[in-house]
Amino acid sequence: MDISEIAKRLGLSDSKQLVRKAAEIRRLCDVQFDSSVIGVGEVSKAVMCLEIAATRFQVIFDRRAATKLSGLSEKAYTRSFNLLQNSIGVKTKLDVRELAIQFGCVRIIPSVQKGLSLYKDRFLASLPASRRAGADFTRPVFTAVAFYLSAKKQKLKIDKDKLIEVCGTSESEFLSVSTCMKDLCYDVFGISKEKMDPREVKGNRDLLDVLPEKRTVEEGGYLSDDGPEVSSYKKRKRTEKAGYEKWKSTVMESNKNNSKGSCKKARQTSLNFLREVPNGNTNELEA
């Protein structure tokens, strides 16, 4: 199927410049990317080239209709589209404001921009002088990761899978950049999971003193002369164990006493098998 016919089905035939750009991208794919390796046919490849061209010219593109026309599932189309983009070196620009509007997190825009700028500075400072010129932060994965970590820091729910699709990267690359960004900018993106010591907070300390039965060893709330609180389950287990030890010692002592008595010399008992005969019967036998 010709790419102009596919553009007509997707409602993009009015823009001749877009169709020519899509045909140019398709020829580039034929040279640099073997679509048969990932199981993408010619129609699917043409649809993806049209989407790349539409993104460059900022033309609205119907992804649902394109997925249906390509004959692929939504996940398979997204995965193949990302692979095709990366193979031909197409870079998608991702704006923080557009992401914030799309995901409904407008209030985190300043923190995302601040964290991203800080990450760039610290990352460049960690590189040797000879490699700093080659550092590339224009890829959308950096913006997407900074956006995701800022939202997570402020306890906002973000669909990570959808964000990965929007930025056109893989999950492994997203996780790798996320780990690096949290390590370098933990003061901005890090989330502390350490439990606060109640003794350091006066309000909690007063509350624990009022309710001593709520104090636990982990909280460090009990006093040194009180000892830790023991649960009823542990008390029952200790009682059962003490009873078992007492019974065990009694049985062992009894066995020792029995073994001492059994050490005496055994005496054989004589057995009398003679039958007693009455006196009358004895006289008859004598006669």
Side-chain angles (χ1 to χ4, degrees):
M1 187 182 295
D2 188 61
I3 197 168
S4 58
E5 296 180 7
I6 298 175
K8 187 176 181 180
R9 290 193 178 188
L10 294 174
L12 302 173
S13 57
D14 295 338
S15 178
K16 301 297 181 182
Q17 188 178 4
L18 187 150
V19 176
R20 286 197 297 269
K21 188 65 178 178
E24 179 185 344
I25 296 173
R26 184 176 183 178
R27 290 192 295 270
L28 183 63
C29 289
D30 293 337
V31 175
Q32 298 185 1
F33 182 69
D34 186 6
S35 59
S36 62
V37 175
I38 59 174
V40 176
E42 293 299 321
V43 176
S44 302
K45 184 166 64 175
V47 172
M48 294 174 191
C49 293
L50 283 169
E51 182 175 356
I52 294 173
T55 304
R56 285 196 173 187
F57 287 100
Q58 296 182 353
V59 177
I60 298 175
F61 186 83
D62 190 351
R63 170 65 79 88
R64 183 174 298 178
T67 304
K68 186 177 180 179
L69 184 60
S70 67
L72 301 173
S73 63
E74 185 177 354
K75 288 186 178 180
Y77 180 89
T78 303
R79 183 173 60 252
S80 302
F81 180 77
N82 293 338
L83 288 173
L84 189 144
Q85 271 191 319
N86 294 332
S87 62
I88 62 177
V90 175
K91 296 180 181 178
T92 305
K93 292 183 179 180
L94 199 62
D95 187 51
V96 178
R97 293 181 178 84
E98 293 178 1
L99 278 179
I101 293 172
Q102 183 176 353
F103 288 91
C105 305
V106 181
R107 63 189 177 93
I108 68 172
I109 293 177
S111 62
V112 175
Q113 293 174 340
K114 177 184 176 182
L116 193 58
S117 176
L118 187 63
Y119 171 73
K120 292 177 182 179
D121 296 339
R122 292 182 179 179
F123 187 84
L124 288 174
S126 64
L127 292 177
S130 58
R131 295 182 56 189
R132 291 176 186 174
D136 182 17
F137 297 100
T138 60
R139 299 177 61 189
V141 64
F142 295 103
T143 305
V145 169
F147 181 82
Y148 175 75
L149 293 178
S150 295
K152 192 176 180 180
K153 175 79 172 179
Q154 300 188 27
K155 299 181 180 181
L156 300 175
K157 292 184 178 181
I158 297 293
D159 189 348
K160 186 171 72 172
D161 296 333
K162 185 178 180 181
L163 184 61
I164 291 174
E165 292 180 6
V166 170
C167 69
T169 186
S170 62
E171 186 176 359
S172 59
E173 185 182 23
F174 187 91
L175 293 176
S176 177
V177 176
S178 176
T179 303
C180 178
M181 196 171 290
K182 281 191 292 185
D183 290 341
L184 289 177
C185 305
Y186 187 82
D187 54 336
V188 179
F189 298 121
I191 300 174
S192 178
K193 294 183 180 180
E194 296 180 359
K195 187 175 181 180
M196 187 176 294
D197 189 354
R199 288 173 292 187
E200 297 179 0
V201 183
K202 187 175 184 302
N204 290 347
R205 179 67 263 176
D206 295 341
L207 179 61
L208 292 174
D209 288 338
V210 173
L211 303 174
E213 66 275 6
K214 299 296 183 181
R215 290 180 274 179
T216 61
V217 179
E218 290 80 6
E219 291 173 344
Y222 63 89
L223 299 178
S224 58
D225 55 344
D226 290 340
E229 289 289 330
V230 182
S231 63
S232 59
Y233 174 78
K234 290 184 177 180
K235 288 180 179 179
R236 181 169 58 84
K237 282 294 181 181
R238 289 180 181 178
T239 305
E240 291 177 357
K241 188 175 180 181
Y244 169 76
E245 293 294 337
K246 184 178 180 180
W247 170 83
K248 183 179 177 181
S249 61
T250 304
V251 172
M252 292 180 68
E253 187 68 24
S254 176
N255 291 338
K256 287 181 180 180
N257 295 334
N258 293 336
S259 62
K260 289 180 180 179
S262 63
C263 292
K264 295 180 180 181
K265 187 176 180 180
R267 181 179 180 183
Q268 186 175 357
T269 305
S270 60
L271 300 176
N272 187 11
F273 294 100
L274 295 176
R275 182 180 178 184
E276 294 182 359
V277 182
N279 295 330
N281 294 338
T282 305
N283 297 330
E284 290 178 0
L285 289 174
E286 291 178 353

